Amino acid sequence: GIRDDLVTGVQTCALPICTVYLVETLSVMIQVVWFKRTRKRVFLMAPLHHHFEMLGIKEPLIVAGFWMFGGICLSIFLLGVF
């Protein structure tokens, strides 16, 4: 029914928005696995937003970049679905 369609639509649109959180989580996983194998780091610091801070990028710019990344992922997803 209508309720099921609404729930499915919300869950489907939430997926590309969650890509930012997925990338942040994957950056930690990559850092841990790589460091255990090689004793070298992929990122200066994990999660990924701390890596950008360590590069000297200001926090508001990082937040804006992550918002844009999420928006781009959502746009690509919506173009692919419709």
Side-chain angles (χ1 to χ4, degrees), residues 40-52:
K40 295 180 182 178
R41 300 184 189 281
V42 176
F43 306 109
L44 295 175
M45 186 184 287
L48 189 59
H49 67 274
H50 289 304
H51 172 75
F52 293 130

Side-chain angles (χ1 to χ4, degrees), residues 8-19:
T8 303
V10 169
Q11 288 174 346
T12 304
C13 285
L15 181 66
I17 295 170
C18 291
T19 54

Side-chain angles (χ1 to χ4, degrees), residues 40-80:
K40 295 180 182 178
R41 300 184 189 281
V42 176
F43 306 109
L44 295 175
M45 186 184 287
L48 189 59
H49 67 274
H50 289 304
H51 172 75
F52 293 130
E53 288 174 355
M54 296 292 284
L55 291 174
I57 302 171
K58 302 291 183 191
E59 188 174 352
L61 191 57
I62 296 169
V63 171
F66 274 80
W67 270 94
M68 286 190 297
F69 176 71
I72 290 168
C73 290
L74 180 61
S75 299
I76 291 170
F77 177 79
L78 290 175
L79 287 173

